[in-house]
Amino acid sequence: ELKVEQNPLFLSMQEGKNYTIYCNYSTTSDRLYWYRQDPGKSLESLFVLLSNGAVKQEGRLMASLDTKARLSTLHITAAVHDLSATYFCAVVPSNTGNQFYFGTGTSLTVIP
Amino acid sequence: DTGVSQNPRHKITKRGQNVTFRCDPISEHNRLYWYRQTLGQGPEFLTYFQNEAQLEKSRLLSDRFSAERPKGSFSTLEIQRTEQGDSAMYLCASSLGWRRGPQETQYFGPGTRLLVL
């Protein structure tokens, strides 16, 4: 059974601090995505990581991919309240065409 | 570009009834996806279309679920003989899927929240 696991599931952090969210997956994949979801809203695409060693940065968020370790990280730098949301990673296994498998999400709360 | 739209936004139905949801993707997007999301979980893949062809369907998807995209534009998702376990948010997403790469970025609609009583 394919698993996409995120940790932590819940994260409460103070403004200005740094933290990392981890996404582990159990299949071969060369495509990994990060999304953000605000309460009661739909998902917003953040990053698309397409190869081993890929790194993408946007503002205070930086995502990286290690396909050999089957691990992606989402690093938050100097958190601000506006980053409070649930973050999901999703993988597309190499052998299943185009099915996206999502993790359970990490609920981030940034405390002023 | 008005984004992905879904209708209705909310649906309450009684167990055993049939329901149909509609998704209108971004106009130039050739791929369309349906997902189901329950509280506290990530979206679960249901099916996807490239143009009008339904290319993949989750093995976990009950035969009570059917989806169509007749002209390669909007799509409908029908659930027959609804059960309480079908209560969830149903999300639609579209993308440009000509090749692997940034074009595969999915744009999600606001979802249809289904409650089966």
Side-chain angles (χ1 to χ4, degrees):
Chain A
E1 179 188 352
L2 190 155
K3 292 184 178 179
V4 183
E5 296 179 331
Q6 291 183 232
N7 70 82
L9 297 182
F10 298 94
L11 175 58
S12 180
M13 56 190 298
Q14 288 187 316
E15 278 191 335
K17 298 295 186 181
N18 303 334
Y19 209 86
T20 300
I21 298 171
Y22 298 88
C23 173
N24 291 88
Y25 53 96
S26 63
T27 186
T28 302
S29 173
D30 56 1
R31 280 195 284 166
L32 188 132
Y33 300 78
W34 284 97
Y35 295 86
R36 168 183 173 144
Q37 186 174 36
D38 291 297
K41 301 290 181 65
S42 195
L43 283 80
E44 174 191 356
S45 178
L46 294 175
F47 300 109
V48 180
L49 302 168
L50 300 174
S51 61
N52 187 42
V55 177
K56 294 278 185 74
Q57 183 165 5
E58 180 73 32
R60 301 175 187 274
L61 300 177
M62 183 174 69
S64 66
L65 178 62
D66 182 342
T67 58
K68 294 180 181 178
R70 299 181 180 177
L71 170 69
S72 180
T73 61
L74 181 66
H75 187 72
I76 303 158
T77 302
V80 293
H81 181 67
D82 287 351
L83 291 179
S84 296
T86 298
Y87 294 85
F88 293 97
C89 63
V91 298
V92 181
S94 299
N95 62 347
T96 63
N98 214 45
Q99 289 196 29
F100 283 65
Y101 289 85
F102 282 77
T104 51
T106 295
S107 177
L108 170 66
T109 302
V110 180
I111 304 168
Chain B
D1 178 4
T2 57
V4 179
S5 62
Q6 293 186 244
N7 287 288
R9 296 291 307 276
H10 303 273
K11 179 71 176 179
I12 300 174
T13 191
K14 292 182 179 179
R15 188 176 54 186
Q17 298 295 306
N18 298 344
V19 294
T20 300
F21 309 141
R22 176 176 170 130
C23 171
D24 287 89
I26 293 172
S27 59
E28 67 268 27
H29 285 185
N30 65 329
R31 284 189 176 174
L32 187 148
Y33 300 78
W34 284 100
Y35 294 90
R36 175 171 58 193
Q37 186 178 25
T38 53
L39 195 62
Q41 299 296 316
E44 174 193 1
F45 171 86
L46 296 179
T47 188
Y48 100 94
F49 294 83
Q50 179 152 316
N51 299 314
E52 67 276 8
Q54 187 174 18
L55 295 188
E56 291 187 56
K57 187 174 177 181
S58 170
R59 290 174 296 161
L60 302 176
L61 197 61
S62 163
D63 289 344
R64 298 183 295 105
F65 288 70
S66 63
E68 294 183 341
R69 194 182 183 197
K71 297 183 178 179
S73 56
F74 74 92
S75 176
T76 57
L77 177 69
E78 181 183 17
I79 309 174
Q80 296 182 328
R81 305 180 302 282
T82 53
E83 302 172 356
Q84 288 183 325
D86 296 332
S87 296
M89 176 75 85
Y90 289 84
L91 296 169
C92 174
S94 70
S95 75
L96 282 171
W98 295 108
R99 64 177 69 88
R100 288 187 177 189
Q103 292 88 347
E104 188 60 72
T105 298
Q106 296 185 330
Y107 296 85
F108 281 81
T112 294
R113 186 170 294 282
L114 173 66
L115 177 62
V116 182
L117 301 176

